[in-house]
Amino acid sequence: MLSFQSKQEIPESTIQLYTNSFGQLKNIAAIARTIDKEKFTSKEFINFLMLNRQFESNAGAYEGLRNSIELLRVALETKESFLKIEATETRYRSFSQQEFYDYVYNLLVKDMEVAQFQEAIQKQLVRVIPKIKSDEGKAAIQSYVNHLETVCKDKLGLKLLYLFKQYDMSNFSLLRTVGEIADSFYDKDLDSLKEFMVVVQVNADIFLKLGQIIQVPQKKNVPETYAITLQYIALRNRHQNSFAQFQQLLGLLTQWENFYNPIIAIAKEYPPSEYKQPDIFKADIPGLEIYNKYQTHL
């Protein structure tokens, strides 16, 4: 082994690269610690991450279900507007109003872009308002259009409204029941699928009917599908804010990794047994503990 006196010098440019990378690691680690939460290692959150990976990749238990789950998620998020649309079409049925409802359906059949659909609706509204005699009727059709815009703010919403109308307007009432079921899990343990299965089996007819509307594949139109769907949506609702923060943390750790790799490479190339290392080479690497905790998620 070389004696201390015979140890080689590390190039100044390499020391500077190490020092700069170390400083960047320190800055990133400080931000990462403010985002890191105990919840990120909880059993339920880890379960959600696993299920979400399956959902995003359309694999595992969620194979073939991504489109249907997204449709149901949109339906539950906008169910109040769906129910208002149904109520308006049921209550206000003058010739001009019925003509407007038919116009909306014909637009949905054309599978238009969202902006194009909304522009057409607004133009038709301007034409139909003067034909409606009562102030109540005019207010109702304006409210109807407002709820249409809430539901049809993206292509999923447009498709969902078309599917509901294609089957039967009365099916909108399914959303109230399914929404109440979904809400009942607000403060419950979401790890166990058993509770979801019990509720779905009790309401099997409702879910099987809903499955036709949200295009659940025939071979998947079974209670187990709706149990895992409800579980995923409940977990997503509960953890969506934490998930966004977790994604931010992973983004920071990816940046951190870009500065960590040069440090590791330099340390291997210039071992202390052969080179005179400055003190910074011996310091603990900032953020390594957080990186090790979440490395498998990167």
Side-chain angles (χ1 to χ4, degrees):
M1 183 176 290
L2 295 171
S3 65
F4 177 80
Q5 288 76 13
S6 63
K7 286 185 179 180
Q8 304 174 61
E9 298 284 348
I10 299 175
E12 189 59 39
S13 60
T14 301
I15 294 175
Q16 191 60 51
L17 174 60
Y18 191 103
T19 302
N20 291 343
S21 296
F22 191 92
Q24 292 290 344
L25 291 179
K26 191 173 182 180
N27 293 336
I28 295 172
I31 300 172
R33 288 190 189 96
T34 66
I35 300 173
D36 188 21
K37 287 182 170 55
E38 188 177 339
K39 175 187 280 191
F40 295 162
T41 56
S42 70
K43 180 183 175 184
E44 186 176 283
F45 188 76
I46 295 295
N47 186 37
F48 167 65
L49 293 178
M50 179 191 71
L51 296 180
N52 192 61
R53 277 194 293 270
Q54 291 182 9
F55 171 78
E56 291 293 343
S57 58
N58 204 20
Y62 299 103
E63 183 178 358
L65 294 176
R66 180 170 178 172
N67 178 67
S68 300
I69 292 175
E70 286 285 32
L71 286 171
L72 180 57
R73 178 184 61 80
V74 171
L76 293 177
E77 287 177 357
T78 58
K79 67 179 183 296
E80 295 305 323
S81 287
F82 268 109
L83 295 172
K84 290 289 186 182
I85 288 170
E86 178 198 21
T88 302
E89 292 197 15
T90 301
R91 180 176 176 184
Y92 298 94
R93 304 193 61 82
S94 71
F95 177 80
S96 295
Q97 288 162 327
Q98 187 59 53
E99 191 176 47
F100 189 83
Y101 306 147
D102 292 341
Y103 179 80
V104 170
Y105 180 73
N106 289 332
L107 290 181
L108 292 170
V109 170
K110 294 178 181 179
D111 191 26
M112 305 168 76
E113 293 300 318
V114 173
Q116 188 182 8
F117 172 82
Q118 293 188 350
E119 182 181 358
I121 291 294
Q122 288 297 332
K123 287 181 178 178
Q124 186 67 8
L125 178 65
V126 171
R127 288 192 285 266
V128 78
I129 284 286
K131 299 179 182 180
I132 300 175
K133 296 179 181 179
S134 70
D135 290 339
E136 182 184 355
K138 290 179 180 182
I141 207 72
Q142 178 63 67
S143 175
Y144 178 86
V145 168
N146 293 342
H147 288 296
L148 275 180
E149 290 181 343
T150 297
V151 168
C152 301
K153 60 188 176 186
D154 54 31
K155 288 289 283 185
L156 272 175
L158 279 174
K159 182 178 182 180
L160 190 60
L161 183 60
Y162 168 71
L163 289 170
F164 267 105
K165 280 178 158 289
Q166 186 184 38
Y167 278 90
D168 185 354
M169 282 290 292
S170 65
N171 285 323
F172 280 8
S173 60
L174 291 173
L175 290 179
R176 181 181 287 108
T177 303
V178 176
E180 289 171 354
I181 291 171
D183 290 343
S184 71
F185 288 96
Y186 178 78
D187 57 355
K188 292 184 179 178
D189 175 17
L190 304 181
D191 274 335
S192 172
L193 196 60
K194 187 180 295 183
E195 286 194 53
F196 291 94
M197 277 297 299
V198 170
V199 172
V200 168
Q201 286 171 336
V202 170
N203 298 276
D205 290 346
I206 290 173
F207 282 100
L208 294 177
K209 193 172 184 181
L210 181 65
Q212 297 175 345
I213 300 169
I214 61 174
Q215 300 183 320
V216 172
Q218 184 61 38
K219 65 179 181 179
K220 294 269 190 174
N221 200 21
V222 293
E224 289 81 2
T225 290
Y226 300 100
I228 65 172
T229 294
L230 284 176
Q231 182 187 39
Y232 175 75
I233 290 175
L235 283 166
R236 179 169 172 160
N237 288 341
R238 178 176 292 180
H239 296 295
Q240 58 184 346
N241 291 334
S242 296
F243 182 65
Q245 294 171 335
F246 185 70
Q247 292 294 95
Q248 184 184 3
L249 177 61
L250 294 186
L252 283 170
L253 293 178
T254 299
Q255 292 179 39
W256 184 94
E257 199 171 40
N258 292 333
F259 296 103
Y260 175 65
N261 290 334
I263 278 183
I264 295 302
I266 290 170
K268 286 183 178 178
E269 188 173 352
Y270 300 97
S273 59
E274 298 178 29
Y275 290 88
K276 298 177 185 178
Q277 290 190 344
D279 289 342
I280 196 169
F281 276 53
K282 304 164 190 173
D284 292 337
I285 297 177
L288 184 59
E289 73 287 354
I290 296 180
Y291 176 74
N292 287 337
K293 184 161 51 167
Y294 299 113
Q295 186 179 9
T296 57
H297 298 286
L298 295 174

